């Protein structure tokens, strides 16, 4: 373990790294609960005889970070380093000034999708469908980068997550005649939209759907319906997703 290598000053491994320092660790497991993150942060801020921790790796989720970050701001602006969550709520925020992360936020997803569409395929016209939650940030980033690259957004359609009647959205989208669709939402929402869109002729032969990273896990798709793998393959024909 890296901490053992740092603390052992005689094993010939990184002996000159932090030569006067002993690294100690402590942890709490708030899971995804805001309240547990607050409680865990308060405990960590008071451990070691009240000295508290000097830095934190985590929490895993945005919900945990929004709970823990303000606590550590009050205790000397202890830095939190995120390694998993990409939420735009946390990035460049005045409220979470002690938060850093080692992965890109959702802005990078929007940029990547726009770049793939224009620079790889040279497509210039798209329709965008997204849920009006955190995915709306990805949609806004995409539209901004699309404009820079000369991609025309023929139409954009947003709806609440867990909406399951897409008839009006599908009909409105069909009116603009797009053949390329950018879909930014959870797999469950995408499953319902694509299934109804295929049945209504929106996602027909010759169309292309580009989805976000959260839609990349085939095991999630399999859990949402009763289709065989062959039937699911037919449903998802024309879909590519971005991993980043």
């Amino acid at each position: 373990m890296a901490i053992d290598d740092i603390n052992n000053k005689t094993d010939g491994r990184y002996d000159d790294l932090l030569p006067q320092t002993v690294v100690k660790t402590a942890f709490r497991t708030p899971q995804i609960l805001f309240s547990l993150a607050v409680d865990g942060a308060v405990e960590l801020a008071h451990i070691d005889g009240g000295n508290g921790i000097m830095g934190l790796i985590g929490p895993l989720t945005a919900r945990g970070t929004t709970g823990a970050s303000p606590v550590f701001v009050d205790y000397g602006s202890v830095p939190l380093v995120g390694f998993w969550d990409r939420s735009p709520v946390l990035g460049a925020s005045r409220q979470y000034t002690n938060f850093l992360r080692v992965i890109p936020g959702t802005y990078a997803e929007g940029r990547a999708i726009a770049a793939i569409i224009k620079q790889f395929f040279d497509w210039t016209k798209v329709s965008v469908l997204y849920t009006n939650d955190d995915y709306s940030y990805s949609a806004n980033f995409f539209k901004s980068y699309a404009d820079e690259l000369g991609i025309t957004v023929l139409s954009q359609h947003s709806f609440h997550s867990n909406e399951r009647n897409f008839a009006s959205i599908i009909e409105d989208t069909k009116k603009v005649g797009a053949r390329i669709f950018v879909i930014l939402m959870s797999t469950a929402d995408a499953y319902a939209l694509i299934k109804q869109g295929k049945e209504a002729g929106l996602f027909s032969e010759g169309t292309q759907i580009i989805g976000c990273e959260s839609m990349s896990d085939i095991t999630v798709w399999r859990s949402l319906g009763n289709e065989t793998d062959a039937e699911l393959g037919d449903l998802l024909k024309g879909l590519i997703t971005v991993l980043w």
Side-chain angles (χ1 to χ4, degrees), residues 120-134:
F120 191 80
F121 292 109
D122 199 27
W123 294 326
T124 57
K125 297 179 181 180
V126 303
S127 281
V128 184
L129 301 103
Y130 58 95
T131 46
N132 51 12
D133 45 22
D134 278 0

Side-chain angles (χ1 to χ4, degrees), residues 73-100:
V73 168
D74 291 341
Y75 285 91
S77 203
V78 174
L80 278 67
V81 180
F83 60 93
W84 182 264
D85 191 88
R86 304 182 189 271
S87 172
V89 174
L90 301 172
S93 171
R94 295 181 180 179
Q95 186 174 359
Y96 309 109
T97 55
N98 59 335
F99 176 75
L100 310 168

Side-chain angles (χ1 to χ4, degrees), residues 1-79:
M1 186 175 180
I3 291 175
D4 294 333
D5 292 335
I6 293 172
N7 287 340
N8 188 331
K9 310 301 183 186
T10 60
D11 63 354
R13 302 176 63 182
Y14 309 110
D15 292 344
D16 295 330
L17 180 62
L18 302 175
Q20 307 301 320
T21 302
V22 174
V23 179
K24 298 180 180 179
T25 60
F27 69 91
R28 297 294 184 273
T29 52
Q31 300 175 22
I32 61 171
L33 298 179
F34 179 92
S35 59
L36 290 181
V38 173
D39 293 343
V42 171
E43 292 174 10
L44 290 171
H46 288 89
I47 64 170
D48 193 23
N51 292 319
I53 62 173
M54 299 181 67
L56 180 72
I57 299 174
L60 180 68
T61 66
R63 189 175 302 174
T65 302
T66 56
S69 175
V71 173
F72 288 115
V73 168
D74 291 341
Y75 285 91
S77 203
V78 174

Side-chain angles (χ1 to χ4, degrees), residues 154-174:
L154 297 174
S155 66
Q156 52 184 304
H157 313 271
S158 65
F159 55 89
H160 294 295
S161 181
N162 297 318
E163 172 68 47
R164 290 299 176 262
N165 185 348
F166 299 105
S168 61
I169 291 175
I170 289 171
E171 288 306 310
D172 287 344
T173 308
K174 288 171 70 174

